[in-house]
Amino acid sequence: MSTDPVLVVHGGAWAIPDDMVAAHLNGVRNAMAAGWNVLARGGDALDAVEEAVVVLEDDETFDAGRGSFLNRDGKVQLDALIMDGATLRAGGVGCVERLRNPVRAARKILSESPHVYFVAEGAERFAAEHGIALCKNEDLIIQREVERLKEYQANGEHQPDLFAGMLSHDTVGAVALDRSGNIAASTSTGGTLNKAPGRLGDSSLIGCGCYADNKTAAASTTGWGEPIMKLVLAKWAADRVAAGNLPEWAAAEAINYLQKRLDGHGGMILLDARGRFGISHNTPRMAWAVRTTKEEMSGISR
Ligand code: ASP
């Protein structure tokens, strides 16, 4: 029996300024087009989330791939995860500095390695050995981010809240359901501005920033990573779906929990294998797009 496909993507949760709304909407719609193209021709959920995330990584609007936030040393350090809800296979990379599309390396790990997670040079070596070209770290750095870091570091202790305030741009992710009834998820990020070198956020950690299990749900989160990771938030939400709750409710509850328990800020997309989805955030805005066989929507708040 064939299932109607569904794809949900996000491009980060924060106070997206008015003059950046169009770029964010454009980005999530382009990602939707790439991912939907896969699903519409009967492709896998896994391929759909990978293709959607590649488009977002390639778009400098977002904090993923080229154009990401810089760490304290002025370098881009990227994290990404992709997970298959049918088999629970996953591939993750952390703190990579020479990959334009970390999700491509994550996918290779999922498909071709007995391991689940690679970091730093080991991840880059794995990618190179599996046919992925390495770039220079400078190829990932753009002037906007050089200036942003300079300004941030000049402000010293007096920093606005990155996710509630105007400073941030954000992580990307996608969740998909394919015609075979399988779900998948992926999240990719440059992490947080001025992070310490080697700092890993929630995004690429299984169950924190990304999760997929056909028996529960597929989730991708964005926002301040430390609280999200402490609450294992993606798995927390998926478990609520397994307990019989609607993804719409579970996503909202997860973000409430994040706020109440740890005063965290962020957003989540959540999708189950019946095609029911939720989109939730407690930041002023979050860029998102959804497509089903019946409708196509996108927006910057929900
Ligand atoms: N969650 C990411 C991190 O903490 C940041 C983000 O969502 O923008 O690395």
Side-chain angles (χ1 to χ4, degrees):
M1 202 184 72
S2 165
T3 312
D4 282 343
V6 179
L7 179 63
V8 189
V9 305
H10 75 81
W14 59 293
I16 302 167
D18 290 343
D19 63 354
M20 290 182 75
V21 165
H24 278 75
L25 285 176
N26 199 34
V28 292
R29 287 173 186 152
N30 287 340
M32 174 56 66
W36 189 259
N37 194 27
V38 174
L39 294 174
R41 57 165 200 260
D44 290 349
L46 208 50
D47 291 331
V49 295
E50 179 181 350
E51 295 312 318
V53 167
V54 162
V55 169
L56 293 163
E57 288 178 337
D58 286 344
D59 187 333
E60 291 173 12
T61 306
F62 302 103
D63 180 30
R66 182 175 151 85
S68 286
F69 280 142
L70 302 182
N71 71 9
R72 205 173 57 196
D73 290 350
K75 282 187 155 186
V76 166
Q77 268 192 348
L78 304 170
D79 312 325
L81 187 87
I82 186 164
M83 186 160 179
D84 175 15
T87 61
L88 302 192
R89 285 181 308 163
V93 293
C95 297
V96 291
E97 297 183 354
R98 295 189 298 154
L99 294 173
R100 277 186 184 276
N101 293 110
V103 70
R104 292 272 192 233
R107 176 61 192 272
K108 286 276 182 199
I109 293 166
L110 182 156
S111 304
E112 296 177 31
S113 172
H115 305 308
V116 169
Y117 206 100
F118 285 77
V119 297
E121 293 95 326
E124 291 162 2
R125 196 195 306 174
F126 176 92
E129 285 167 1
H130 288 77
I132 296 178
L134 299 184
C135 64
K136 296 201 201 82
N137 195 251
E138 300 86 80
D139 296 339
L140 304 174
I141 298 175
I142 62 171
Q143 194 52 30
R144 178 191 71 206
E145 294 308 321
V146 173
E147 277 153 28
R148 199 195 296 265
L149 181 68
K150 212 185 283 171
E151 190 186 331
Y152 187 89
Q153 292 183 336
N155 277 333
E157 295 302 295
H158 308 287
Q159 302 296 349
D161 180 328
L162 269 186
F163 291 93
M166 298 299 285
L167 242 183
S168 175
H169 66 150
D170 243 1
T171 292
V172 305
V175 292
L177 167 66
D178 63 29
R179 291 200 191 278
S180 308
N182 294 320
I183 54 175
S186 180
T187 306
S188 181
T189 189
T192 48
L193 176 60
N194 197 46
K195 66 185 180 182
R199 175 266 187 192
L200 195 74
D202 61 304
S203 308
S204 64
L205 297 178
I206 292 181
C208 300
C210 187
Y211 192 69
D213 181 350
N214 279 3
K215 293 191 189 306
T216 62
S220 174
T221 70
T222 172
W224 184 22
E226 278 72 7
I228 293 173
M229 142 174 35
K230 290 171 190 166
L231 298 175
V232 199
L233 202 63
K235 178 71 160 63
W236 189 97
D239 286 346
R240 262 114 205 120
V241 176
N245 300 293
L246 284 171
E248 193 179 349
W249 180 89
E253 269 310 290
I255 298 303
N256 281 341
Y257 176 47
L258 175 66
Q259 181 147 16
K260 285 202 193 104
R261 186 69 182 93
L262 290 175
D263 198 21
H265 289 97
M268 173 182 286
I269 55 176
L270 188 64
L271 171 70
D272 72 7
R274 292 165 63 183
R276 305 176 304 180
F277 62 86
I279 299 172
S280 182
H281 59 101
N282 63 352
T283 47
R285 286 173 167 169
M286 174 162 107
W288 59 270
V290 177
R291 185 153 177 189
T292 70
T293 50
K294 294 185 190 67
E295 56 183 353
E296 188 174 0
M297 302 174 281
S298 53
I300 41 127
S301 67
R302 189 73 183 173

